[in-house]
């Protein structure tokens, strides 16, 4: 829908430009103070500078914005950042941002079809994160190249203690595997939404801006902190933070 709006706006501007050009030509012909040679030269110069071929090069697809990975955590969870093994990961971002920061795709898949997205596991040293990569353009994105990586958006990112031995930390020194729901609430305030899964013994805190909605899944942006029993085989084991998930754009 965003892409269609851009195309419609571009077409409207082209039409307006054409009408303006006709009006200018009529006005010039009535001005006898200018020589025919001068008018011809001006028209030729204008045609060269605004040729139809050049005007049609306006991109029809939304390319991802150029950003970079942050270098430090802040004290605000709504800044959409976490640290894993000392590596700061944040949103918004492109895949090129993660690639430039040393993250590599785990597995063989290395391209995304136009207007499509996939989940990917990324590794850096002993750390692993899972991301949703979205290609909103009308061309296939080769993630091995900087050009392809730069047009792909990181829609969401997640890190869990299940696949990582390195520390996972969110703002205000909240560390996965240690922090309790009370620790998180004390650090950031009560979450906008809480979901209890009594069967699995898990709790998820959802933080997002604005009033509570009926279903957070309809939101573009939210942060989810998952808590589970430290020892999953012991019902009396303390419940601690296991996973941090951040979503920036909903697809």
């Amino acid at each position: 829908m965003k892409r269609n709006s851009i195309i419609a706006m571009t077409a409207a501007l082209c039409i307006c430009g054409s009408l303006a050009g006709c009006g200018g030509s009529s006005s010039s012909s009535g001005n006898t103070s200018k020589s025919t040679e001068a008018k011809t030269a001006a028209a030729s110069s204008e045609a060269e500078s605004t040729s139809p071929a050049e005007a049609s090069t306006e991109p029809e697809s939304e390319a991802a914005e150029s950003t970079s990975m942050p270098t430090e955590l802040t004290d605000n969870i709504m800044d959409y950042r976490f640290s894993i093994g000392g590596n700061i990961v944040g949103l918004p971002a492109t895949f090129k941002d993660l690639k430039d920061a040393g993250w590599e795709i785990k597995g063989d898949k290395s391209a995304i079809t136009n207007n499509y997205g996939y989940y990917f596991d990324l590794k850096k040293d002993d750390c692993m994160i899972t991301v949703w990569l979205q290609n909103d353009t009308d061309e296939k994105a080769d993630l091995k190249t900087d050009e392809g990586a730069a047009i792909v958006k990181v829609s969401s990112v997640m890190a869990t203690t299940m696949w990582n031995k390195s520390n996972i930390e969110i703002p205000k020194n909240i560390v996965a595997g240690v922090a309790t729901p009370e620790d998180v609430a004390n650090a950031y305030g009560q979450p906008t939404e809480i979901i209890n899964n009594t069967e699995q013994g898990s709790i998820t805190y959802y933080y997002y801006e604005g009033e509570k909605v009926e279903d957070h899944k309809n939101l573009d942006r939210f942060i989810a902190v998952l808590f589970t029993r430290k020892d999953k085989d012991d019902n009396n084991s303390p419940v601690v933070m296991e996973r941090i998930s951040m979503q920036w754009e909903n697809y």
Side-chain angles (χ1 to χ4, degrees):
M1 287 172 42
K2 294 179 185 176
R3 180 167 51 258
N4 291 337
S5 298
I6 293 174
I7 296 172
M9 289 173 65
T10 304
L13 289 172
C14 290
I15 293 171
C16 291
S18 299
L19 293 174
C22 292
S25 175
S26 175
S27 174
S28 318
S29 64
N31 188 348
T32 57
S33 64
K34 294 183 179 180
S35 66
T36 302
E37 292 82 357
K39 289 190 293 179
T40 303
S44 176
S45 175
E46 183 178 0
E48 290 177 2
S49 61
T50 57
S51 65
E54 290 177 336
S56 64
T57 57
E58 182 74 20
E60 295 186 353
S61 302
E62 291 185 61
E65 295 181 5
S66 177
T67 51
S68 60
M69 282 296 105
T71 57
E72 59 184 8
L73 290 179
T74 66
D75 285 339
N76 187 356
I77 192 174
M78 300 310 295
D79 283 340
Y80 287 81
R81 300 180 184 185
F82 66 83
S83 172
I84 176 168
N87 302 291
I88 308 298
V89 178
L91 296 177
T94 66
F95 177 63
K96 185 175 184 299
D97 299 326
L98 289 172
K99 186 178 176 184
D100 289 345
W103 292 94
E104 299 177 346
I105 293 175
K106 180 184 177 183
D108 298 329
K109 191 166 187 60
S110 60
I112 303 180
T113 308
N114 57 301
N115 296 300
Y116 212 77
Y118 301 97
Y119 277 114
F120 288 82
D121 289 330
L122 305 182
K123 294 200 70 176
K124 180 179 180 181
D125 301 325
D126 294 330
C127 302
M128 190 177 86
I129 58 177
T130 300
V131 298
W132 177 273
L133 299 182
Q134 180 72 24
N135 177 13
D136 278 340
T137 72
D138 291 330
E139 58 186 81
K140 184 177 181 180
D142 183 353
L143 300 179
K144 293 180 181 179
T145 68
D146 285 347
E147 293 79 10
I151 64 175
V152 170
K153 300 176 183 179
V154 182
S155 169
S156 65
V157 57
M158 180 270 289
T160 174
T161 57
M162 290 183 68
W163 316 124
N164 290 282
K165 293 182 179 180
S166 299
N167 272 3
I168 299 171
E169 183 179 344
I170 54 179
K172 294 191 174 180
N173 301 312
I174 300 298
V175 179
V178 177
T180 65
E182 292 76 14
D183 293 332
V184 172
N186 288 336
Y188 314 127
Q190 289 298 317
T192 315
E193 181 180 340
I194 300 176
I195 294 182
N196 283 286
N197 188 326
T198 54
E199 292 183 2
Q200 296 182 0
S202 67
I203 304 170
T204 307
Y205 279 10
Y206 290 92
Y207 288 91
Y208 49 84
E209 296 179 339
E211 299 295 325
K212 181 179 178 181
V213 297
E214 185 175 348
D215 190 347
H216 67 272
K217 294 178 183 178
N218 294 326
L219 294 171
D220 267 337
R221 299 174 190 174
F222 62 82
I223 292 171
V225 185
L226 173 71
F227 305 89
T228 59
R229 298 186 191 96
K230 194 167 187 176
D231 183 348
K232 291 179 172 53
D233 296 326
D234 182 0
N235 290 337
N236 295 319
S237 179
V239 175
V240 295
M241 174 182 164
E242 178 184 291
R243 184 176 72 200
I244 175 69
S245 303
M246 305 187 305
Q247 177 170 295
W248 189 257
E249 197 161 354
N250 190 7
Y251 289 99

